[in-house]
Amino acid sequence: MIKDLVIVLLCAFFSLAAYAGEAVLRVVTELSPPHQTMKEGKVDGVSTQIVRATLQQAGLDSRIEVYPWARAFYIASSTPNVLIYNMARTPEREQEFHWIGPVAKYRLGLVRLAWRTDLKPNHIKDLGSAVIAVQRGDFATSYLQQQGMRIGKELQLSADILESWRLLIKGKVDYVIDDQAALALMEQQLSQPEGATRFVLAIPQLEQITYLAASKATDPQLVEKLQQAHLQVQKSQLYQNVMAGQF
């Protein structure tokens, strides 16, 4: 009897030890409709659906945490076993993360209020002193800075895309940077009438396929499992629709 009890206790001990040693997976993102939205208190959106499908295919589960982009990026840059999306795969970031797979395709450009017919740019070099709301830590912000635009002058920093849009609606800035496919949903999200905004200038340099990525110190076996799961998700109609901009 005592021997049986000892065996049971040892099994329980090793089970708990194995459980304690398992990687605790976190997933972080920002709000960015239609790719990351909130619905009935839960994170939703077309890219979120791909992420959830990938986790499910890998036999994993994790609550998705929403932060301003700069905060989400810091967590993913400094903490093991963290996934982040939607991440632009820039040369500067290439060696800093593990790349699980694409979850969106952005075709970004300038968006203005519909009534601002005085704003008719043909090129970003035509903007003069116009002010663009951009997100802290975003790849579009870095690109515009490389074109000579300055924070606090031509660029107004925001915590996230919703804050940038609120600045646009209030007339505090002239433009935001967003995907044409997002306009209708953003108008709805911010209680604006349909057609309140216009996509006026595509910026080809900002066309990006964005990724689900893992922090550099993430367990390699976990990375491999997620990459293989994503390959299966790529075969789904959901994935094909999202990457084609059909949502």
Side-chain angles (χ1 to χ4, degrees):
M1 181 66 122
I2 294 176
K3 182 179 179 181
D4 291 341
L5 179 60
V6 170
I7 292 173
V8 169
L9 289 174
L10 284 172
C11 289
F13 172 79
F14 286 116
S15 295
L16 287 172
Y19 177 79
E22 286 181 359
V24 177
L25 182 66
R26 297 176 65 184
V27 184
V28 297
T29 191
E30 64 172 344
L31 287 180
S32 182
H35 298 90
Q36 297 103 267
T37 62
M38 294 298 296
K39 183 178 181 181
E40 299 178 354
K42 293 183 64 177
V43 186
D44 199 3
V46 293
S47 295
T48 301
Q49 292 169 23
I50 292 177
V51 172
R52 291 195 190 281
T54 301
L55 291 170
Q56 184 177 15
Q57 181 70 34
L60 301 168
D61 187 28
S62 180
R63 183 174 64 89
I64 299 175
E65 306 167 33
V66 175
Y67 299 97
W69 179 254
R71 175 64 177 165
F73 185 86
Y74 173 77
I75 293 170
S77 300
S78 59
T79 311
N81 302 316
V82 175
L83 303 181
I84 184 171
Y85 70 105
N86 291 330
M87 174 85 82
R89 192 169 181 171
T90 64
E92 296 78 16
R93 296 172 179 170
E94 182 66 33
Q95 302 304 317
E96 301 302 317
F97 295 89
H98 299 286
W99 302 93
I100 305 303
V103 291
K105 185 172 184 178
Y106 284 89
R107 299 170 179 84
L108 298 176
L110 295 175
V111 179
R112 62 163 170 82
L113 295 174
W115 64 267
R116 290 293 308 271
T117 54
D118 57 309
L119 300 175
K120 300 177 180 179
N122 294 312
H123 193 277
I124 60 170
K125 296 189 181 297
D126 301 334
L127 298 181
S129 59
V131 179
I132 307 171
V134 293
Q135 292 75 252
R136 190 182 306 275
D138 188 72
F139 78 99
T141 307
S142 299
Y143 172 76
L144 294 174
Q145 286 182 284
Q146 291 167 9
Q147 307 312 302
M149 298 184 187
R150 300 159 293 175
I151 302 296
K153 295 291 185 179
E154 298 86 1
L155 302 177
Q156 175 66 52
L157 277 182
S158 300
D160 56 38
I161 189 63
L162 289 173
E163 183 180 335
S164 290
W165 269 75
R166 290 188 183 103
L167 289 173
L168 178 70
I169 290 166
K170 292 177 181 177
K172 302 293 186 181
V173 299
D174 300 299
Y175 301 101
V176 294
I177 301 288
D178 211 336
D179 192 315
Q180 188 170 8
L183 268 60
L185 187 55
M186 291 299 289
E187 290 168 354
Q188 181 181 4
Q189 176 104 11
L190 296 168
S191 302
Q192 297 300 300
E194 184 179 353
T197 59
R198 294 283 188 277
F199 186 88
V200 292
L201 181 68
I203 303 176
Q205 295 85 349
L206 296 183
E207 184 170 313
Q208 286 278 343
I209 292 175
T210 56
Y211 282 73
L212 173 65
S215 53
K216 191 66 175 178
T218 296
D219 181 348
Q221 291 184 339
L222 186 58
V223 171
E224 174 68 18
K225 181 183 289 188
L226 286 162
Q227 289 172 335
Q228 292 302 315
H230 190 274
L231 288 174
Q232 295 304 309
V233 172
Q234 287 183 33
K235 301 174 184 178
S236 69
Q237 193 61 53
L238 165 67
Y239 179 85
Q240 299 298 327
N241 289 345
V242 172
M243 298 306 291
Q246 298 171 1
F247 41 78

PDB file of all heavy atoms in Angstrom, residues 22 32-33 51 54 59 71 90-93 116-118 122 130 146 150 177 199 209 212 233:
ATOM      1  N   GLU A  22       6.537  23.565 -19.062  1.00  0.00           N
ATOM      2  CA  GLU A  22       5.987  23.902 -20.363  1.00  0.00           C
ATOM      3  C   GLU A  22       6.047  25.405 -20.605  1.00  0.00           C
ATOM      4  O   GLU A  22       5.900  26.204 -19.690  1.00  0.00           O
ATOM      5  CB  GLU A  22       4.519  23.440 -20.445  1.00  0.00           C
ATOM      6  CG  GLU A  22       4.367  21.942 -20.588  1.00  0.00           C
ATOM      7  CD  GLU A  22       2.905  21.534 -20.685  1.00  0.00           C
ATOM      8  OE1 GLU A  22       2.036  22.427 -20.617  1.00  0.00           O
ATOM      9  OE2 GLU A  22       2.648  20.336 -20.819  1.00  0.00           O
ATOM     10  N   SER A  32      -6.321  47.211 -34.973  1.00  0.00           N
ATOM     11  CA  SER A  32      -6.109  47.732 -36.324  1.00  0.00           C
ATOM     12  C   SER A  32      -7.157  47.149 -37.253  1.00  0.00           C
ATOM     13  O   SER A  32      -6.883  46.224 -38.023  1.00  0.00           O
ATOM     14  CB  SER A  32      -4.698  47.393 -36.829  1.00  0.00           C
ATOM     15  OG  SER A  32      -4.479  47.937 -38.119  1.00  0.00           O
ATOM     16  N   PRO A  33      -8.402  47.656 -37.184  1.00  0.00           N
ATOM     17  CA  PRO A  33      -9.479  47.134 -38.036  1.00  0.00           C
ATOM     18  C   PRO A  33      -9.111  47.233 -39.519  1.00  0.00           C
ATOM     19  O   PRO A  33      -8.448  48.194 -39.919  1.00  0.00           O
ATOM     20  CB  PRO A  33     -10.656  48.060 -37.713  1.00  0.00           C
ATOM     21  CG  PRO A  33     -10.352  48.592 -36.344  1.00  0.00           C
ATOM     22  CD  PRO A  33      -8.858  48.733 -36.311  1.00  0.00           C
ATOM     23  N   VAL A  51      -4.547  33.753 -36.976  1.00  0.00           N
ATOM     24  CA  VAL A  51      -3.714  33.428 -35.806  1.00  0.00           C
ATOM     25  C   VAL A  51      -4.381  32.348 -34.962  1.00  0.00           C
ATOM     26  O   VAL A  51      -3.738  31.378 -34.554  1.00  0.00           O
ATOM     27  CB  VAL A  51      -3.453  34.697 -34.971  1.00  0.00           C
ATOM     28  CG1 VAL A  51      -2.769  34.342 -33.646  1.00  0.00           C
ATOM     29  CG2 VAL A  51      -2.588  35.688 -35.748  1.00  0.00           C
ATOM     30  N   THR A  54      -4.096  29.035 -36.610  1.00  0.00           N
ATOM     31  CA  THR A  54      -2.734  28.504 -36.488  1.00  0.00           C
ATOM     32  C   THR A  54      -2.516  27.884 -35.115  1.00  0.00           C
ATOM     33  O   THR A  54      -1.960  26.785 -34.989  1.00  0.00           O
ATOM     34  CB  THR A  54      -1.705  29.617 -36.753  1.00  0.00           C
ATOM     35  OG1 THR A  54      -1.899  30.153 -38.067  1.00  0.00           O
ATOM     36  CG2 THR A  54      -0.285  29.088 -36.633  1.00  0.00           C
ATOM     37  N   GLY A  59      -2.403  22.813 -31.811  1.00  0.00           N
ATOM     38  CA  GLY A  59      -2.831  22.252 -30.532  1.00  0.00           C
ATOM     39  C   GLY A  59      -2.500  23.150 -29.362  1.00  0.00           C
ATOM     40  O   GLY A  59      -2.277  22.678 -28.238  1.00  0.00           O
ATOM     41  N   ARG A  71       4.187  49.162 -27.226  1.00  0.00           N
ATOM     42  CA  ARG A  71       4.213  48.293 -26.049  1.00  0.00           C
ATOM     43  C   ARG A  71       4.216  46.820 -26.455  1.00  0.00           C
ATOM     44  O   ARG A  71       4.986  46.014 -25.906  1.00  0.00           O
ATOM     45  CB  ARG A  71       3.000  48.597 -25.166  1.00  0.00           C
ATOM     46  CG  ARG A  71       2.842  47.682 -23.958  1.00  0.00           C
ATOM     47  CD  ARG A  71       3.985  47.833 -22.982  1.00  0.00           C
ATOM     48  NE  ARG A  71       3.781  47.009 -21.807  1.00  0.00           N
ATOM     49  CZ  ARG A  71       4.719  46.711 -20.922  1.00  0.00           C
ATOM     50  NH1 ARG A  71       5.946  47.190 -21.086  1.00  0.00           N
ATOM     51  NH2 ARG A  71       4.459  45.960 -19.874  1.00  0.00           N
ATOM     52  N   THR A  90      10.788  43.679 -41.808  1.00  0.00           N
ATOM     53  CA  THR A  90      11.783  44.619 -42.307  1.00  0.00           C
ATOM     54  C   THR A  90      13.195  44.049 -42.123  1.00  0.00           C
ATOM     55  O   THR A  90      13.402  43.162 -41.285  1.00  0.00           O
ATOM     56  CB  THR A  90      11.680  45.952 -41.557  1.00  0.00           C
ATOM     57  OG1 THR A  90      11.999  45.740 -40.164  1.00  0.00           O
ATOM     58  CG2 THR A  90      10.280  46.540 -41.663  1.00  0.00           C
ATOM     59  N   PRO A  91      14.173  44.552 -42.870  1.00  0.00           N
ATOM     60  CA  PRO A  91      15.553  44.071 -42.694  1.00  0.00           C
ATOM     61  C   PRO A  91      16.056  44.231 -41.263  1.00  0.00           C
ATOM     62  O   PRO A  91      16.801  43.382 -40.763  1.00  0.00           O
ATOM     63  CB  PRO A  91      16.351  44.953 -43.672  1.00  0.00           C
ATOM     64  CG  PRO A  91      15.367  45.326 -44.729  1.00  0.00           C
ATOM     65  CD  PRO A  91      14.058  45.487 -44.011  1.00  0.00           C
ATOM     66  N   GLU A  92      15.642  45.312 -40.594  1.00  0.00           N
ATOM     67  CA  GLU A  92      16.098  45.559 -39.225  1.00  0.00           C
ATOM     68  C   GLU A  92      15.560  44.516 -38.248  1.00  0.00           C
ATOM     69  O   GLU A  92      16.186  44.209 -37.231  1.00  0.00           O
ATOM     70  CB  GLU A  92      15.671  46.956 -38.767  1.00  0.00           C
ATOM     71  CG  GLU A  92      16.271  48.109 -39.544  1.00  0.00           C
ATOM     72  CD  GLU A  92      15.602  48.333 -40.903  1.00  0.00           C
ATOM     73  OE1 GLU A  92      14.485  47.796 -41.129  1.00  0.00           O
ATOM     74  OE2 GLU A  92      16.193  49.040 -41.743  1.00  0.00           O
ATOM     75  N   ARG A  93      14.393  43.971 -38.556  1.00  0.00           N
ATOM     76  CA  ARG A  93      13.748  43.007 -37.652  1.00  0.00           C
ATOM     77  C   ARG A  93      14.051  41.557 -38.004  1.00  0.00           C
ATOM     78  O   ARG A  93      13.744  40.668 -37.215  1.00  0.00           O
ATOM     79  CB  ARG A  93      12.231  43.211 -37.682  1.00  0.00           C
ATOM     80  CG  ARG A  93      11.768  44.554 -37.165  1.00  0.00           C
ATOM     81  CD  ARG A  93      10.277  44.741 -37.415  1.00  0.00           C
ATOM     82  NE  ARG A  93       9.783  46.019 -36.918  1.00  0.00           N
ATOM     83  CZ  ARG A  93       8.566  46.504 -37.170  1.00  0.00           C
ATOM     84  NH1 ARG A  93       7.729  45.793 -37.925  1.00  0.00           N
ATOM     85  NH2 ARG A  93       8.192  47.660 -36.684  1.00  0.00           N
ATOM     86  N   ARG A 116     -12.223  67.488 -47.471  1.00  0.00           N
ATOM     87  CA  ARG A 116     -10.957  68.211 -47.665  1.00  0.00           C
ATOM     88  C   ARG A 116     -10.506  68.113 -49.127  1.00  0.00           C
ATOM     89  O   ARG A 116      -9.475  67.549 -49.466  1.00  0.00           O
ATOM     90  CB  ARG A 116      -9.877  67.652 -46.739  1.00  0.00           C
ATOM     91  CG  ARG A 116     -10.067  67.939 -45.272  1.00  0.00           C
ATOM     92  CD  ARG A 116      -9.924  69.426 -44.928  1.00  0.00           C
ATOM     93  NE  ARG A 116      -8.704  70.027 -45.432  1.00  0.00           N
ATOM     94  CZ  ARG A 116      -7.551  70.045 -44.756  1.00  0.00           C
ATOM     95  NH1 ARG A 116      -7.477  69.480 -43.561  1.00  0.00           N
ATOM     96  NH2 ARG A 116      -6.488  70.637 -45.269  1.00  0.00           N
ATOM     97  N   THR A 117     -11.296  68.694 -50.006  1.00  0.00           N
ATOM     98  CA  THR A 117     -10.983  68.626 -51.438  1.00  0.00           C
ATOM     99  C   THR A 117      -9.776  69.482 -51.803  1.00  0.00           C
ATOM    100  O   THR A 117      -9.290  69.428 -52.941  1.00  0.00           O
ATOM    101  CB  THR A 117     -12.197  69.074 -52.269  1.00  0.00           C
ATOM    102  OG1 THR A 117     -12.621  70.369 -51.835  1.00  0.00           O
ATOM    103  CG2 THR A 117     -13.350  68.084 -52.110  1.00  0.00           C
ATOM    104  N   ASP A 118      -9.295  70.252 -50.845  1.00  0.00           N
ATOM    105  CA  ASP A 118      -8.074  71.029 -51.083  1.00  0.00           C
ATOM    106  C   ASP A 118      -6.831  70.151 -51.055  1.00  0.00           C
ATOM    107  O   ASP A 118      -5.759  70.569 -51.515  1.00  0.00           O
ATOM    108  CB  ASP A 118      -7.931  72.126 -50.024  1.00  0.00           C
ATOM    109  CG  ASP A 118      -7.929  71.568 -48.600  1.00  0.00           C
ATOM    110  OD1 ASP A 118      -8.854  70.795 -48.266  1.00  0.00           O
ATOM    111  OD2 ASP A 118      -7.015  71.916 -47.832  1.00  0.00           O
ATOM    112  N   ASN A 122      -0.284  64.097 -55.426  1.00  0.00           N
ATOM    113  CA  ASN A 122       0.110  63.158 -56.464  1.00  0.00           C
ATOM    114  C   ASN A 122       1.325  62.328 -56.056  1.00  0.00           C
ATOM    115  O   ASN A 122       1.623  61.311 -56.666  1.00  0.00           O
ATOM    116  CB  ASN A 122       0.430  63.903 -57.768  1.00  0.00           C
ATOM    117  CG  ASN A 122      -0.798  64.566 -58.359  1.00  0.00           C
ATOM    118  OD1 ASN A 122      -1.850  63.944 -58.473  1.00  0.00           O
ATOM    119  ND2 ASN A 122      -0.678  65.836 -58.716  1.00  0.00           N
ATOM    120  N   ALA A 130       1.701  69.624 -44.767  1.00  0.00           N
ATOM    121  CA  ALA A 130       0.598  68.785 -44.287  1.00  0.00           C
ATOM    122  C   ALA A 130       1.089  67.867 -43.176  1.00  0.00           C
ATOM    123  O   ALA A 130       2.246  67.440 -43.153  1.00  0.00           O
ATOM    124  CB  ALA A 130       0.025  67.956 -45.433  1.00  0.00           C
ATOM    125  N   GLN A 146      12.403  58.546 -43.101  1.00  0.00           N
ATOM    126  CA  GLN A 146      13.485  58.418 -44.077  1.00  0.00           C
ATOM    127  C   GLN A 146      13.305  59.355 -45.259  1.00  0.00           C
ATOM    128  O   GLN A 146      14.274  59.711 -45.942  1.00  0.00           O
ATOM    129  CB  GLN A 146      13.568  56.971 -44.562  1.00  0.00           C
ATOM    130  CG  GLN A 146      14.040  55.983 -43.511  1.00  0.00           C
ATOM    131  CD  GLN A 146      13.825  54.539 -43.914  1.00  0.00           C
ATOM    132  OE1 GLN A 146      13.472  54.248 -45.062  1.00  0.00           O
ATOM    133  NE2 GLN A 146      14.017  53.619 -42.982  1.00  0.00           N
ATOM    134  N   ARG A 150       9.427  64.922 -40.155  1.00  0.00           N
ATOM    135  CA  ARG A 150       9.896  65.035 -38.787  1.00  0.00           C
ATOM    136  C   ARG A 150       8.752  64.849 -37.776  1.00  0.00           C
ATOM    137  O   ARG A 150       7.655  65.375 -37.979  1.00  0.00           O
ATOM    138  CB  ARG A 150      10.539  66.404 -38.578  1.00  0.00           C
ATOM    139  CG  ARG A 150      11.748  66.674 -39.490  1.00  0.00           C
ATOM    140  CD  ARG A 150      12.023  68.152 -39.616  1.00  0.00           C
ATOM    141  NE  ARG A 150      10.938  68.839 -40.350  1.00  0.00           N
ATOM    142  CZ  ARG A 150      10.860  70.154 -40.530  1.00  0.00           C
ATOM    143  NH1 ARG A 150      11.810  70.937 -40.015  1.00  0.00           N
ATOM    144  NH2 ARG A 150       9.851  70.694 -41.193  1.00  0.00           N
ATOM    145  N   ILE A 177      -2.297  57.188 -42.364  1.00  0.00           N
ATOM    146  CA  ILE A 177      -1.825  56.127 -43.247  1.00  0.00           C
ATOM    147  C   ILE A 177      -2.646  54.881 -42.951  1.00  0.00           C
ATOM    148  O   ILE A 177      -2.691  54.406 -41.809  1.00  0.00           O
ATOM    149  CB  ILE A 177      -0.330  55.810 -43.011  1.00  0.00           C
ATOM    150  CG1 ILE A 177       0.541  57.045 -43.242  1.00  0.00           C
ATOM    151  CG2 ILE A 177       0.115  54.651 -43.894  1.00  0.00           C
ATOM    152  CD1 ILE A 177       0.680  57.447 -44.681  1.00  0.00           C
ATOM    153  N   PHE A 199      -9.492  57.562 -49.665  1.00  0.00           N
ATOM    154  CA  PHE A 199      -8.125  57.080 -49.896  1.00  0.00           C
ATOM    155  C   PHE A 199      -7.616  57.825 -51.120  1.00  0.00           C
ATOM    156  O   PHE A 199      -8.166  57.675 -52.218  1.00  0.00           O
ATOM    157  CB  PHE A 199      -8.152  55.580 -50.148  1.00  0.00           C
ATOM    158  CG  PHE A 199      -6.791  54.939 -50.266  1.00  0.00           C
ATOM    159  CD1 PHE A 199      -6.130  54.485 -49.140  1.00  0.00           C
ATOM    160  CD2 PHE A 199      -6.188  54.788 -51.510  1.00  0.00           C
ATOM    161  CE1 PHE A 199      -4.885  53.875 -49.245  1.00  0.00           C
ATOM    162  CE2 PHE A 199      -4.943  54.189 -51.622  1.00  0.00           C
ATOM    163  CZ  PHE A 199      -4.292  53.731 -50.489  1.00  0.00           C
ATOM    164  N   ILE A 209       3.422  42.531 -46.872  1.00  0.00           N
ATOM    165  CA  ILE A 209       2.857  41.324 -46.291  1.00  0.00           C
ATOM    166  C   ILE A 209       3.327  41.297 -44.844  1.00  0.00           C
ATOM    167  O   ILE A 209       4.526  41.426 -44.571  1.00  0.00           O
ATOM    168  CB  ILE A 209       3.327  40.067 -47.042  1.00  0.00           C
ATOM    169  CG1 ILE A 209       2.723  40.049 -48.448  1.00  0.00           C
ATOM    170  CG2 ILE A 209       2.945  38.804 -46.280  1.00  0.00           C
ATOM    171  CD1 ILE A 209       3.213  38.913 -49.308  1.00  0.00           C
ATOM    172  N   LEU A 212       2.780  36.827 -38.498  1.00  0.00           N
ATOM    173  CA  LEU A 212       2.798  36.351 -37.121  1.00  0.00           C
ATOM    174  C   LEU A 212       4.245  35.981 -36.839  1.00  0.00           C
ATOM    175  O   LEU A 212       4.842  35.181 -37.574  1.00  0.00           O
ATOM    176  CB  LEU A 212       1.886  35.133 -36.961  1.00  0.00           C
ATOM    177  CG  LEU A 212       1.923  34.404 -35.612  1.00  0.00           C
ATOM    178  CD1 LEU A 212       1.413  35.303 -34.493  1.00  0.00           C
ATOM    179  CD2 LEU A 212       1.114  33.109 -35.682  1.00  0.00           C
ATOM    180  N   VAL A 233      -2.672  26.041 -42.415  1.00  0.00           N
ATOM    181  CA  VAL A 233      -3.676  27.111 -42.474  1.00  0.00           C
ATOM    182  C   VAL A 233      -3.629  27.817 -43.825  1.00  0.00           C
ATOM    183  O   VAL A 233      -4.656  28.275 -44.339  1.00  0.00           O
ATOM    184  CB  VAL A 233      -3.462  28.104 -41.313  1.00  0.00           C
ATOM    185  CG1 VAL A 233      -4.365  29.330 -41.458  1.00  0.00           C
ATOM    186  CG2 VAL A 233      -3.724  27.417 -39.974  1.00  0.00           C
TER     187      VAL A 233
END
